[in-house]
Amino acid sequence: ILNVEQSPQSLHVQEGDSTNFTCSFPSSNFYALHWYRWETAKSPEALFVMTLNGDEKKKGRISATLNTKEGYSYLYIKGSQPEDSATYLCAFLVQGAQKLVFGQGTRLTINP
Amino acid sequence: GAVVSQHPSRVICKSGTSVKIECRSLDFQATTMFWYRQFPKQSLMLMATSNEGSKATYEQGVEKDKFLINHASLTLSTLTVTSAHPEDSSFYICSAMGTDFSAEKLFFGSGTQLSVL
């Protein structure tokens, strides 16, 4: 059974502070790692699709890194804003399989 | 970006009734659609994968006669929970993608909260 772990499960951050959280996944048979942001009462929205070891992607104040050899990805948010409050999901795509395995998510709350 | 519309957003039904949930891709052709279920404080769990015009592929432990999936067109997939029971109460969400699964992100509906009394 493939296991994707995210930590922490929840996080409270003061507005303006930077934060990061982790996604751990199996290091074998890696094909891709996805990050999604899921705001309450909305649809999950894709942030990044990462495929190469050492990959770094950036979208505004949010960035992500990928280490496929050790099986982890970090998501960073710089200068947190209230609109960053959401659950952040990562999902692992196994080579040869047409499905994503999701972690439980990190629920981020930004305190004004 | 691409939009996936899911209806209804919330449904309450009596035990024994069937409930249909629709998932539509509004501005692209979804060759593949995925149906997930999420119990409180747990991950999104894949129930089945459906490709347009063919039978859905169900994950281990998901009853295909209980959860009927139809993907009759490139823009519409439906999930019918047949003879629903309280243990089927959960959050159901669909996602869709266009052509190349290996490179593309998923586009999600907004989910359906099913409560079976």
Side-chain angles (χ1 to χ4, degrees), chain B residues 5-9 20-23 111-112:
Chain B
S5 175
Q6 183 173 343
H7 294 282
S9 58
K20 182 185 277 190
I21 302 169
E22 285 192 354
C23 181
T112 298

Side-chain angles (χ1 to χ4, degrees), chain B residues 5-26:
Chain B
S5 175
Q6 183 173 343
H7 294 282
S9 58
R10 183 177 296 272
V11 59
I12 301 171
C13 68
K14 290 183 179 179
S15 187
T17 59
S18 294
V19 174
K20 182 185 277 190
I21 302 169
E22 285 192 354
C23 181
R24 289 181 187 273
S25 57
L26 297 186

Side-chain angles (χ1 to χ4, degrees), chain A:
Chain A
I1 297 176
L2 293 171
N3 205 27
V4 177
E5 297 278 347
Q6 290 187 248
S7 64
Q9 285 190 15
S10 67
L11 190 55
H12 290 254
V13 173
Q14 206 62 35
E15 182 177 352
D17 287 351
S18 296
T19 187
N20 66 84
F21 29 91
T22 309
C23 173
S24 301
F25 52 86
S27 54
S28 57
N29 298 317
F30 174 87
Y31 201 86
L33 194 282
H34 292 214
W35 280 101
Y36 292 85
R37 175 170 58 200
W38 193 358
E39 294 178 64
T40 303
K42 293 188 178 179
S43 306
E45 175 193 351
L47 289 172
F48 306 114
V49 176
M50 308 177 80
T51 56
L52 299 175
N53 183 43
D55 223 359
E56 273 191 51
K57 296 217 171 179
K58 190 175 180 181
K59 187 176 181 178
R61 294 179 291 99
I62 303 176
S63 61
T65 60
L66 179 68
N67 183 323
T68 60
K69 295 190 188 307
E70 295 181 41
Y72 64 83
S73 175
Y74 293 134
L75 190 80
Y76 300 90
I77 301 178
K78 189 177 176 182
S80 304
Q81 299 297 309
E83 60 264 28
D84 297 329
S85 295
T87 296
Y88 290 82
L89 299 172
C90 70
F92 170 74
L93 177 59
V94 179
Q95 194 169 38
Q98 198 191 27
K99 63 180 182 182
L100 285 170
V101 178
F102 281 84
Q104 285 180 300
T106 293
R107 187 178 183 88
L108 175 65
T109 304
I110 307 300
N111 301 317

Side-chain angles (χ1 to χ4, degrees), chain B residues 36-58:
Chain B
Y36 294 86
R37 179 168 55 184
Q38 185 183 38
F39 292 108
K41 299 191 178 181
Q42 294 189 20
S43 314
L44 291 175
M45 296 299 295
L46 182 65
M47 298 174 67
T49 301
S50 73
N51 291 293
E52 182 264 338
S54 58
K55 287 185 180 179
T57 303
Y58 289 81

Side-chain angles (χ1 to χ4, degrees), chain B residues 98 102 107:
Chain B
S102 63
F107 298 98

